[in-house]
Amino acid sequence: MHSDKDIKQMEEGGKGSIAHELAKKQKEISVAEFFEKNKHILGFDSRVKSLMMGVKEAVDNSLDACEEADIRPEIYVKVEKIERISDSEDVYRISIEDNGPGIVHKMIPNVFGRLLFGARFHALRQSRGQQGIGISATVMFGYITTGKPALVMSKIEGTDAVAWKMNIILDTKTNRPLVTNEEPFSWEGKVHGTRIEYYMKGKYVTGRQSIFEYIKNTAIVNPHSKITFDDPEGRRHVFERATESMPIKSKEIKPHPQGLEVGDLQKMAQNTQQKTLKAFLKNDFSRITDRIAEEILDVSKVPDKKVAALTWDDFSALVKAIDIVKIMAPQTDCLSPIGDTLIKKGLMHVLEGLRPDYYAQPVTRPPKAINGNPFIVEAGIVYGGEIQAESEVAILRFANRVPLLYQPGACVITKAIESMDWRRYGLEQRGGKGKPYGPAIILVHVASTKVPFTSEGKEAIANLGEIQNEIHLALRLCARNLKSHLNKKGRKEKTYAKFEIVQQILPQIAGKSAKMLDRPVPDLSRTISKIMNVVWVDPKSTYDAKKKIKSVAYTVYNYTKAERSFRIHAELPKEAVNETLLGRYFMDMNEEGKANWEVLGLPPFTSAKIEFDLIGDMADTFSESDVYLSGISTAFVMGADALPGDWGIKGMEITETELDMADEAEEEEEEDPDVDDDDNKRKGGKQDDE
Amino acid sequence: MHSDKDIKQMEEGGKGSIAHELAKKQKEISVAEFFEKNKHILGFDSRVKSLMMGVKEAVDNSLDACEEADIRPEIYVKVEKIERISDSEDVYRISIEDNGPGIVHKMIPNVFGRLLFGARFHALRQSRGQQGIGISATVMFGYITTGKPALVMSKIEGTDAVAWKMNIILDTKTNRPLVTNEEPFSWEGKVHGTRIEYYMKGKYVTGRQSIFEYIKNTAIVNPHSKITFDDPEGRRHVFERATESMPIKSKEIKPHPQGLEVGDLQKMAQNTQQKTLKAFLKNDFSRITDRIAEEILDVSKVPDKKVAALTWDDFSALVKAIDIVKIMAPQTDCLSPIGDTLIKKGLMHVLEGLRPDYYAQPVTRPPKAINGNPFIVEAGIVYGGEIQAESEVAILRFANRVPLLYQPGACVITKAIESMDWRRYGLEQRGGKGKPYGPAIILVHVASTKVPFTSEGKEAIANLGEIQNEIHLALRLCARNLKSHLNKKGRKEKTYAKFEIVQQILPQIAGKSAKMLDRPVPDLSRTISKIMNVVWVDPKSTYDAKKKIKSVAYTVYNYTKAERSFRIHAELPKEAVNETLLGRYFMDMNEEGKANWEVLGLPPFTSAKIEFDLIGDMADTFSESDVYLSGISTAFVMGADALPGDWGIKGMEITETELDMADEAEEEEEEDPDVDDDDNKRKGGKQDDE
């Protein structure tokens, strides 16, 4: 092994040969120098981007820290223009403050002034930061561009705890922090938290790749946090909490044995507390039970010897055995998906009052794993209404709850969307490839213990087949839901037209003729029901934003000659349900929020009203048009769909091919939509004659 | 500042608060651990790719070392399958040996067993390796996957020098080399050079992203090197040198002042040997003359004080001044473009006997710079012949003479090609966007002192506007040349047909009728020339592959009634020219290889033959159809084009808009190609009557 001293010696010891000439140049490169020179890998390659990256790294850290400490994040971001330099760059002061657990005094310098220093690198759990690079890189580029150190203040909870503040510079030559003006102080009104202030040359922009956009999108997928942003124009943007409930906290898991390199296994064995091989397997890995451990030993033919005595051949035999033995997929409580209700909520946020036509039921796929790293794909689509119709659909990309604003082209999410045929789901698309057009916003979130980013800038997710496939499935399930809504809408409009005629025009005619003939107006209800011969469901709803109460009413008219019994089904946002408010016909609800109401023996020419209230943050995420009816032949139902077999099975296990078949089947069916209606009437008529 | 000891302390010193809990976890991450966990950033993310990356890193280093030492590279690569593990992976032994300058004994461990250690990181010059990561990463992944250390042998020139061999492992925890079995030995028959043997789990594949493809393409753009490859099937592939002449050696330059961060300037000032500011500016930067230095001082209002006394405000004032003062663009002798002849040669190589129709004149653009890093774009196109016509065009991407095989989608080269309208240049393309179709191969090379790769895997070039624009211009100039060839070809075929009729059928008719009438056959030459009324150029060539001699002959027939004087122009591959072989009509040739021949007073009905030989490696890169004629109105010329104004100005300074105008102009002109011919005849006829 060679110390830097030896190398120094060599540098003098040149003998004139080319090799010696070259030797003189061979030097160690500090990791800081490396990243300083390869700015673009960290995303600091332009003035515009640098400004955004810095804020992003700081906010990501704040969110991570708060969540680990079970604190509802409250984050303050301020960007001030300090000095104008040119049209292409200015000097800004950026301040980010959080209400996180704070950082222990002695650790502060390394956290903010040293690359590759962090708490989450070795942890197998979903988190935004991982490498311990981002915030220190920010401090580094801040200093390189402005010569001003970062000011860090932090206070940890506890009666005895004082707050500390200090100036920090990252010394690129050594990749170590240089601290000045370190001093304790009492932070008025602060229980715990951290604040960083740094200066950076940058260019503040608005629009698609702006700091504002990053913060807004962060709020979308982190609805449990409140973020306040003071922009350089002095405007304040407050992103209020959309929910008080914290996301499911992601647990740290032990490594899953699958996909381990022999060398990794060896390294783990060197660091284990366990004495024997079997104990090592059982206790240091997830999903290895007593039985599995036994099996691995059998298959590998390695005896249960002392860990210390294991040879390389043992390790490689074990790795081979692990590939053969059937081991459960990694658990996923290390992941924290956003969940469908919050995705809906989030999309509402991003629309800012813009009223879309429909929120397709978001999809959360079942977990899959790559090299023992579990991952989950979630997707959601909003459609129509006031969303711009002529342009390409907007795509919102997220990884571990962090919005991705740059390098869409290199990202698997974009590739997945562009390689799908959206025409079959009612969106325009040239030749069934490339970005779809239409009034829609598509949101995709990939959560994993290790998101394979294409570079440390974390701007795009590498194009791995397993991930692309999951995104496809999630999106297609969403898209199917959207499509069935569009069909339903079409049918409904037809029915309304018909209803109007019968309900309003007939009585008028009757009235007129009666008047002319000077006869009493006849009771038309039998006639009407004879013509209509339907059970008619009419959904209505009102939302009280102040009280956060959504009142929903389904009026069900029985326009048939027989008594009707039936059930109404709707999936409710659980968080918004208070069973006492679900009305008289309410029957039951499962833990997914699928609720059922039952109406028994509704007489002809009468109606029943199913009324219920949803309350709280999530109340307004329910769309009353997602209602289903069962117990009556679809022949008689109008205004609601028959309960589908896969009702509300969102992330359902389904293969690409199964989806293909389903899609094609439906497409044929729809060739001429009118056919259905005619069928209905005919069937209806028949039944009537019996 | 905090030593690892302090941190250790902290790790014990937990007080139970969350902050303290987190503090326990905060650790330093070794750069090796970082890259081990982020394999995909180095390109080691799949078994197939890993195998390729290892070879690539080793070969790139060998080429760099040889070129720095002015040695014609001779590289041997062997990949052997040692153990079969499964369908998806095997264990391979990979050996790479070069004839480079060798590595000084004491430096060997760090070069191969330590990340971020290298000779080229701080140098401003074009080289393949830069970060000192690649080969050490290879050693690391080799060990992690197989547990076997790498074996390195190296011998430096010099009588006293013995060869050294040793086993090397990279300790990921410390990022330091662990050396075993270090010993000197006498390396039979080896003057100097280095050999590395390592084991790695991988999957050997053939095809577009294979080791073979990498080596082949490397040979293409490094025709001065000989590469021998023994593949796992035991086949040997030898890529012979295409030329004996070394590429222009790239010089190391001083940093160009433009685009420097204030912090960079400060750091340079701290390390300078210079005493005063002015001396510092003049001697430590390129392109700063006495006058420029003065000017910078004036504009910045910083007096010429001691460097040590400079404050941050001084530095930022200087940086601002540097932006204002007009400074020459960075020199480009730090770059080593491939050059048009070698690009042609290279494309011939890749075709392996496949005979294309035409080599478009390759284009080497004038240098541009990004943040003081100069870059050059080169492009070439081969077309037609036996190249597959139905599929997408093949794209060969290169950066600093290294082929890029992965992540085409993320690469600026692909983006540039897809965003061009190729239809106007005779290639198919759906809607004038996306990959063009047709029988063509497109080669693009980007050379720079700092190629902005999207990640350390060096698989794709970041999408910077300046680069994309240069690629556009280079490709369009190539494409224009291709198109004019296609047009020429079209016209030529017409002429041939005409020529045949007049030349062969007329005499036959005359002969027959003469026989019938029993009269002597009349002399038709006047008649023929009356009908033809052209100067007809007929190019022929033969190539003797053994002697490497290309014999070219232009037969010029004067089928007009007047005496004709004219000149023939062709651009020759200089390397292949021996003036004594350029024949009797030869006049002169400029340093670019543009040669001129002159024929004076060629009588009617006679012909002159311009003959010359090209000799050597580059002889066959000359395509005789690229010939021009001057001195005669185009009205009379057939078989050759009139000398264009911009003749052979390849990388010419031209803007996008200028190109647009040129293209459109020509497109109109061509609407009905026949028009030209008719014109010619008419004009010709008129002249004839005088």
Side-chain angles (χ1 to χ4, degrees):
Chain A
M1 259 196 66
H2 292 261
S3 73
D4 294 8
K5 214 178 101 294
D6 299 337
I7 296 155
K8 195 101 210 71
Q9 270 174 22
M10 289 314 308
E11 287 174 17
E12 271 87 60
K15 285 212 213 77
S17 86
I18 297 147
H20 281 95
E21 285 312 308
L22 290 177
K24 287 184 192 166
K25 297 198 201 133
Q26 274 146 355
K27 286 194 190 62
E28 173 177 26
I29 302 153
S30 117
V31 64
E33 290 178 304
F34 170 77
F35 280 120
E36 182 190 359
K37 190 165 173 187
N38 292 278
K39 293 185 182 69
H40 61 281
I41 292 177
L42 294 179
F44 287 87
D45 45 344
S46 85
R47 291 299 194 215
V48 170
K49 225 163 134 189
S50 305
L51 207 58
M52 203 277 280
M53 287 305 290
V55 172
K56 176 177 178 303
E57 297 297 350
V59 171
D60 287 354
N61 287 0
S62 293
L63 289 171
D64 275 340
C66 286
E67 283 170 21
E68 275 179 60
D70 285 311
I71 298 166
R72 245 185 248 91
E74 232 176 284
I75 299 173
Y76 172 71
V77 178
K78 182 172 192 176
V79 178
E80 307 160 87
K81 189 192 285 187
I82 298 301
E83 179 197 353
R84 186 174 189 301
I85 295 178
S86 72
D87 294 346
S88 57
E89 60 177 20
D90 303 296
V91 174
Y92 292 88
R93 173 168 58 217
I94 299 97
S95 322
I96 294 99
E97 181 174 331
D98 65 38
N99 61 337
I103 300 165
V104 172
H105 168 212
K106 280 214 168 136
M107 303 305 271
I108 295 172
N110 283 304
V111 169
F112 291 93
R114 183 169 169 182
L115 297 173
L116 291 180
F117 183 91
R120 300 183 194 86
F121 184 74
H122 297 279
L124 228 60
R125 65 181 294 176
Q126 172 181 335
S127 61
R128 298 165 183 80
Q130 199 114 44
Q131 324 289 26
I133 290 181
I135 193 64
S136 298
T138 305
V139 170
M140 175 170 76
F141 287 117
Y143 180 75
I144 290 171
T145 54
T146 69
K148 295 197 176 56
L151 167 63
V152 177
M153 313 177 184
S154 192
K155 184 177 182 191
I156 69 175
E157 60 185 341
T159 49
D160 56 337
V162 292
W164 282 85
K165 67 167 111 178
M166 60 188 77
N167 287 118
I168 301 178
I169 291 172
L170 189 155
D171 175 0
T172 43
K173 267 239 170 55
T174 60
N175 183 33
R176 287 292 184 279
L178 303 176
V179 176
T180 52
N181 314 326
E182 186 172 11
E183 64 175 18
F185 73 108
S186 80
W187 195 342
E188 285 322 317
K190 194 81 179 175
V191 186
H192 50 71
T194 305
R195 175 187 180 92
I196 178 172
E197 268 177 42
Y198 62 93
Y199 294 77
M200 188 177 273
K201 265 191 199 169
K203 181 91 200 120
Y204 183 84
V205 297
T206 54
R208 236 182 68 262
Q209 299 183 318
S210 62
I211 292 174
F212 174 81
E213 195 69 13
Y214 159 74
I215 292 177
K216 188 178 82 178
N217 289 314
T218 302
I220 292 175
V221 291
N222 297 279
H224 59 292
S225 28
K226 173 183 179 180
I227 309 181
T228 307
F229 172 42
D230 286 340
D231 72 19
E233 278 78 43
R235 273 188 304 270
R236 167 162 295 193
H237 314 268
V238 181
F239 298 89
E240 289 295 349
R241 233 172 241 121
T243 169
E244 293 303 314
S245 53
M246 291 287 285
I248 316 109
K249 190 177 176 187
S250 66
K251 293 197 190 57
E252 181 167 345
I253 60 171
K254 294 173 188 165
H256 191 277
Q258 244 136 37
L260 272 183
E261 298 289 4
V262 183
D264 300 333
L265 187 63
Q266 185 192 41
K267 217 164 294 145
M268 289 182 66
Q270 285 159 358
N271 305 334
T272 185
Q273 311 298 335
Q274 310 299 326
K275 295 272 157 295
T276 70
L277 169 56
K278 200 172 151 192
F280 168 55
L281 291 174
K282 265 178 58 186
N283 300 314
D284 289 12
F285 294 92
S286 62
R287 300 306 204 197
I288 294 194
T289 61
D290 222 23
R291 193 183 55 66
I292 300 281
E294 291 288 4
E295 214 176 320
I296 293 174
L297 294 190
D298 293 351
V299 176
S300 65
K301 300 198 179 48
V302 179
D304 182 15
K305 52 171 129 171
K306 285 226 174 343
V307 173
L310 289 166
T311 68
W312 181 274
D313 294 345
D314 295 335
F315 289 120
S316 36
L318 288 166
V319 165
K320 277 185 206 159
I322 286 167
D323 274 355
I324 297 161
V325 173
K326 188 141 181 35
I327 303 174
M328 265 182 85
Q331 67 268 51
T332 54
D333 44 11
C334 54
L335 297 183
S336 153
I338 302 169
D340 49 8
T341 342
L342 286 188
I343 289 178
K344 264 194 187 178
K345 192 75 188 174
L347 284 164
M348 289 184 178
H349 246 240
V350 70
L351 286 164
E352 295 168 319
L354 208 72
R355 298 193 54 74
D357 208 53
Y358 185 67
Y359 292 88
Q361 181 57 54
V363 169
T364 302
R365 289 283 302 162
K368 295 273 179 295
I370 303 176
N371 296 2
N373 282 298
F375 74 96
I376 285 184
V377 169
E378 303 178 281
I381 301 180
V382 271
Y383 181 87
E386 296 164 17
I387 301 173
Q388 225 206 339
E390 287 62 39
S391 52
E392 286 179 342
V393 299
I395 298 173
L396 302 175
R397 301 178 293 133
F398 296 92
N400 286 2
R401 292 172 173 255
V402 178
L404 308 177
L405 301 185
Y406 281 89
Q407 294 196 31
C411 186
V412 65
I413 293 177
T414 316
K415 291 198 174 101
I417 290 174
E418 291 183 346
S419 59
M420 252 176 83
D421 185 346
W422 286 91
R423 297 170 303 183
R424 72 197 324 178
Y425 303 116
L427 288 177
E428 274 177 54
Q429 193 183 34
R430 306 226 163 88
K433 266 188 173 304
K435 281 227 184 63
Y437 286 68
I441 301 174
I442 300 176
L443 179 153
V444 176
H445 177 228
V446 178
S448 173
T449 49
K450 174 109 187 57
V451 178
F453 290 106
T454 56
S455 82
E456 295 89 335
K458 299 187 185 170
E459 301 167 315
I461 303 171
N463 188 19
L464 303 184
E466 299 93 326
I467 299 182
Q468 181 167 146
N469 192 35
E470 279 302 303
I471 298 175
H472 272 154
L473 292 169
L475 284 174
R476 291 183 63 177
L477 289 166
C478 274
R480 282 171 59 80
N481 174 275
L482 168 61
K483 182 176 151 210
S484 80
H485 161 76
L486 294 176
N487 298 342
K488 199 194 289 180
K489 209 174 134 217
R491 283 200 296 280
K492 211 162 181 177
E493 275 152 11
K494 274 214 194 84
T495 325
Y496 266 120
K498 186 173 178 178
F499 193 63
E500 241 172 44
I501 298 167
V502 180
Q503 274 291 65
Q504 289 149 39
I505 295 158
L506 262 194
Q508 285 175 24
I509 298 173
K512 276 214 163 58
S513 26
K515 205 160 167 229
M516 282 158 61
L517 305 172
D518 195 10
R519 293 276 219 75
V521 181
D523 170 12
L524 290 173
S525 58
R526 305 187 119 274
T527 331
I528 289 173
S529 53
K530 184 152 197 160
I531 300 169
M532 294 292 291
N533 197 55
V534 291
V535 170
W536 162 261
V537 182
D538 186 19
K540 292 247 179 305
S541 85
T542 61
Y543 179 61
D544 178 336
K546 212 185 272 85
K547 296 205 194 106
K548 292 185 177 175
I549 294 181
K550 176 152 189 165
S551 307
V552 183
Y554 294 107
T555 316
V556 185
Y557 304 88
N558 177 3
Y559 283 112
T560 68
K561 283 162 57 190
E563 229 180 44
R564 299 292 173 187
S565 298
F566 53 85
R567 288 180 179 178
I568 291 275
H569 312 271
E571 183 166 3
L572 309 175
K574 294 194 310 301
E575 306 84 341
V577 170
N578 173 336
E579 295 223 0
T580 63
L581 301 176
L582 292 184
R584 62 178 270 229
Y585 295 105
F586 174 69
M587 235 173 77
D588 55 20
M589 180 179 93
N590 72 2
E591 73 291 335
E592 278 176 304
K594 290 180 196 163
N596 309 301
W597 292 261
E598 187 169 55
V599 176
L600 292 171
L602 177 66
F605 330 129
T606 63
S607 69
K609 201 163 192 180
I610 289 157
E611 291 175 293
F612 58 87
D613 287 351
L614 297 171
I615 185 152
D617 292 315
M618 294 302 129
D620 59 343
T621 65
F622 176 71
S623 67
E624 62 275 11
S625 63
D626 284 337
V627 64
Y628 300 100
L629 209 74
S630 70
I632 314 180
S633 139
T634 49
F636 295 100
V637 180
M638 282 190 186
D641 276 8
L643 187 70
D646 63 2
W647 179 46
I649 304 174
K650 292 181 302 301
M652 63 179 156
E653 275 296 356
I654 186 165
T655 68
E656 200 92 36
T657 40
E658 284 168 343
L659 261 180
D660 290 337
M661 286 162 59
D663 284 336
E664 277 144 26
E666 282 167 23
E667 270 151 25
E668 282 165 18
E669 204 177 80
E670 287 155 17
E671 305 270 278
D672 177 9
D674 296 52
V675 174
D676 308 36
D677 284 30
D678 302 340
D679 283 348
N680 292 355
K681 272 198 240 75
R682 223 174 296 110
K683 285 206 226 80
K686 218 187 269 99
Q687 200 143 357
D688 203 17
D689 300 335
E690 281 151 15
Chain B
M1 258 199 66
H2 293 262
S3 74
D4 294 9
K5 211 176 103 297
D6 300 334
I7 296 154
K8 194 101 209 72
Q9 271 171 22
M10 287 315 308
E11 288 172 17
E12 273 85 61
K15 284 212 215 75
S17 85
I18 298 148
H20 282 95
E21 283 312 307
L22 291 177
K24 287 186 193 165
K25 297 200 200 130
Q26 275 148 355
K27 286 195 190 63
E28 172 177 27
I29 303 152
S30 112
V31 64
E33 289 178 302
F34 170 77
F35 280 120
E36 181 190 0
K37 190 164 173 190
N38 292 279
K39 291 186 184 68
H40 60 281
I41 292 177
L42 295 178
F44 286 88
D45 46 340
S46 85
R47 293 297 194 215
V48 169
K49 224 161 135 189
S50 305
L51 207 59
M52 202 276 280
M53 287 305 287
V55 172
K56 178 177 176 305
E57 297 296 351
V59 171
D60 287 354
N61 287 359
S62 294
L63 289 171
D64 275 339
C66 285
E67 284 171 21
E68 274 178 62
D70 286 311
I71 298 166
R72 244 184 247 91
E74 234 177 282
I75 299 173
Y76 172 72
V77 178
K78 184 172 191 177
V79 178
E80 307 161 85
K81 189 191 286 186
I82 298 301
E83 180 196 353
R84 187 177 188 300
I85 295 176
S86 72
D87 295 347
S88 58
E89 59 177 21
D90 303 295
V91 174
Y92 291 88
R93 173 169 57 219
I94 299 97
S95 323
I96 294 100
E97 182 174 331
D98 64 39
N99 61 337
I103 299 165
V104 172
H105 168 213
K106 280 212 168 136
M107 303 305 272
I108 296 173
N110 283 306
V111 169
F112 290 93
R114 181 170 172 183
L115 296 173
L116 291 181
F117 184 92
R120 298 183 196 87
F121 184 74
H122 298 280
L124 227 60
R125 63 180 295 178
Q126 173 181 337
S127 62
R128 298 165 183 78
Q130 199 115 44
Q131 325 286 29
I133 291 180
I135 193 62
S136 298
T138 306
V139 169
M140 174 169 78
F141 287 116
Y143 179 75
I144 290 170
T145 54
T146 67
K148 296 198 176 57
L151 167 63
V152 177
M153 312 177 185
S154 192
K155 185 179 181 190
I156 68 175
E157 62 185 340
T159 49
D160 56 336
V162 291
W164 282 85
K165 67 168 111 179
M166 61 188 76
N167 288 117
I168 300 177
I169 292 172
L170 188 155
D171 176 359
T172 42
K173 266 236 172 54
T174 60
N175 183 33
R176 287 293 184 278
L178 302 176
V179 176
T180 51
N181 313 326
E182 185 172 12
E183 62 174 17
F185 73 110
S186 78
W187 195 341
E188 284 322 316
K190 194 81 178 177
V191 187
H192 50 73
T194 305
R195 177 186 179 92
I196 177 170
E197 267 177 45
Y198 63 92
Y199 294 77
M200 188 176 274
K201 266 191 199 169
K203 179 94 200 118
Y204 183 84
V205 297
T206 55
R208 237 182 69 260
Q209 299 183 318
S210 62
I211 292 174
F212 174 81
E213 196 67 14
Y214 159 73
I215 292 177
K216 189 178 81 177
N217 290 316
T218 303
I220 291 176
V221 290
N222 297 277
H224 60 291
S225 33
K226 176 184 179 181
I227 310 182
T228 307
F229 172 42
D230 286 340
D231 72 21
E233 279 76 43
R235 273 188 305 269
R236 166 163 296 192
H237 314 268
V238 181
F239 298 89
E240 289 295 348
R241 233 172 240 120
T243 169
E244 294 302 314
S245 53
M246 291 287 283
I248 316 106
K249 190 177 175 186
S250 66
K251 292 197 191 55
E252 181 169 342
I253 60 171
K254 296 174 188 163
H256 191 278
Q258 243 134 36
L260 273 183
E261 298 289 3
V262 182
D264 300 334
L265 188 62
Q266 184 192 41
K267 217 166 292 142
M268 288 181 68
Q270 283 158 359
N271 305 332
T272 184
Q273 312 298 333
Q274 309 298 326
K275 295 275 157 294
T276 70
L277 171 55
K278 198 172 153 195
F280 168 56
L281 292 173
K282 266 179 58 187
N283 300 313
D284 289 13
F285 295 92
S286 63
R287 301 304 204 198
I288 295 196
T289 61
D290 222 24
R291 194 184 52 68
I292 300 280
E294 291 288 3
E295 216 177 317
I296 294 175
L297 294 191
D298 295 350
V299 176
S300 65
K301 301 198 179 43
V302 179
D304 182 15
K305 53 171 131 171
K306 284 226 174 341
V307 173
L310 289 166
T311 68
W312 181 273
D313 293 343
D314 295 335
F315 288 121
S316 34
L318 288 166
V319 166
K320 278 184 205 159
I322 287 167
D323 273 354
I324 296 161
V325 174
K326 186 137 182 40
I327 303 175
M328 263 184 86
Q331 67 267 54
T332 53
D333 45 10
C334 54
L335 298 183
S336 150
I338 301 168
D340 50 5
T341 346
L342 286 187
I343 288 177
K344 264 193 185 178
K345 192 74 188 175
L347 285 164
M348 289 183 177
H349 246 238
V350 71
L351 288 163
E352 294 169 321
L354 207 72
R355 296 192 56 74
D357 206 53
Y358 184 67
Y359 292 89
Q361 181 58 54
V363 168
T364 301
R365 289 283 301 161
K368 296 270 179 296
I370 303 177
N371 297 3
N373 282 297
F375 75 96
I376 284 184
V377 169
E378 302 179 281
I381 303 179
V382 270
Y383 181 87
E386 297 165 16
I387 302 172
Q388 226 205 337
E390 287 62 37
S391 52
E392 285 180 343
V393 301
I395 298 173
L396 302 175
R397 300 179 294 134
F398 296 91
N400 286 2
R401 291 173 175 256
V402 178
L404 308 177
L405 302 184
Y406 282 89
Q407 294 197 35
C411 187
V412 65
I413 293 177
T414 315
K415 290 197 176 104
I417 291 175
E418 292 183 347
S419 59
M420 251 176 82
D421 185 348
W422 286 91
R423 296 171 303 183
R424 72 197 322 178
Y425 303 116
L427 288 176
E428 276 175 54
Q429 192 183 34
R430 306 226 163 88
K433 266 190 172 305
K435 280 226 185 62
Y437 285 68
I441 301 175
I442 300 177
L443 180 152
V444 176
H445 177 228
V446 178
S448 174
T449 48
K450 174 107 186 59
V451 178
F453 290 108
T454 56
S455 81
E456 295 88 333
K458 298 185 185 171
E459 300 168 315
I461 303 172
N463 188 19
L464 303 185
E466 299 94 324
I467 299 182
Q468 181 168 143
N469 191 35
E470 278 301 301
I471 298 176
H472 272 154
L473 292 170
L475 284 173
R476 290 183 65 177
L477 289 165
C478 274
R480 280 171 58 80
N481 174 277
L482 168 61
K483 183 175 149 213
S484 80
H485 161 78
L486 294 175
N487 298 344
K488 200 193 291 182
K489 210 174 135 217
R491 285 201 296 281
K492 210 162 181 175
E493 275 151 12
K494 276 217 193 82
T495 327
Y496 265 119
K498 187 174 181 181
F499 193 63
E500 239 171 46
I501 299 167
V502 180
Q503 274 290 63
Q504 289 149 38
I505 295 155
L506 264 195
Q508 283 176 27
I509 298 171
K512 275 216 166 55
S513 26
K515 204 156 164 235
M516 282 158 61
L517 305 171
D518 196 8
R519 293 276 217 78
V521 181
D523 169 13
L524 290 174
S525 55
R526 305 187 118 277
T527 331
I528 290 172
S529 53
K530 184 153 196 163
I531 300 167
M532 294 290 293
N533 198 54
V534 291
V535 170
W536 162 260
V537 182
D538 185 21
K540 292 249 179 305
S541 86
T542 62
Y543 180 60
D544 179 334
K546 212 184 271 87
K547 297 207 193 106
K548 293 185 174 171
I549 294 181
K550 176 152 191 167
S551 307
V552 184
Y554 296 107
T555 316
V556 186
Y557 303 89
N558 176 3
Y559 282 113
T560 67
K561 283 163 58 190
E563 228 180 44
R564 298 292 173 188
S565 298
F566 53 86
R567 287 180 179 179
I568 291 275
H569 314 269
E571 181 165 5
L572 309 176
K574 293 195 312 301
E575 305 85 341
V577 171
N578 172 336
E579 294 222 2
T580 63
L581 300 177
L582 292 184
R584 61 178 271 226
Y585 295 106
F586 174 69
M587 234 173 75
D588 55 20
M589 181 179 91
N590 72 2
E591 74 292 334
E592 278 178 304
K594 291 180 195 164
N596 310 302
W597 291 264
E598 185 169 56
V599 176
L600 293 171
L602 178 65
F605 329 131
T606 64
S607 70
K609 202 164 193 181
I610 288 157
E611 291 176 292
F612 58 87
D613 287 351
L614 297 170
I615 185 153
D617 291 315
M618 295 302 131
D620 59 345
T621 64
F622 176 70
S623 67
E624 62 273 14
S625 63
D626 285 337
V627 64
Y628 301 98
L629 208 73
S630 69
I632 313 180
S633 137
T634 47
F636 295 99
V637 180
M638 282 190 187
D641 276 6
L643 187 69
D646 63 2
W647 178 47
I649 303 174
K650 292 182 301 301
M652 61 178 156
E653 275 298 354
I654 185 164
T655 66
E656 200 93 33
T657 37
E658 283 169 342
L659 261 179
D660 290 337
M661 286 162 58
D663 283 336
E664 276 143 29
E666 282 167 23
E667 271 151 26
E668 281 166 20
E669 202 177 80
E670 286 155 17
E671 304 273 275
D672 176 10
D674 295 47
V675 175
D676 307 35
D677 284 33
D678 301 342
D679 282 349
N680 292 353
K681 273 199 239 73
R682 224 175 295 111
K683 283 206 229 83
K686 218 188 271 100
Q687 199 143 0
D688 202 14
D689 298 337
E690 283 152 12

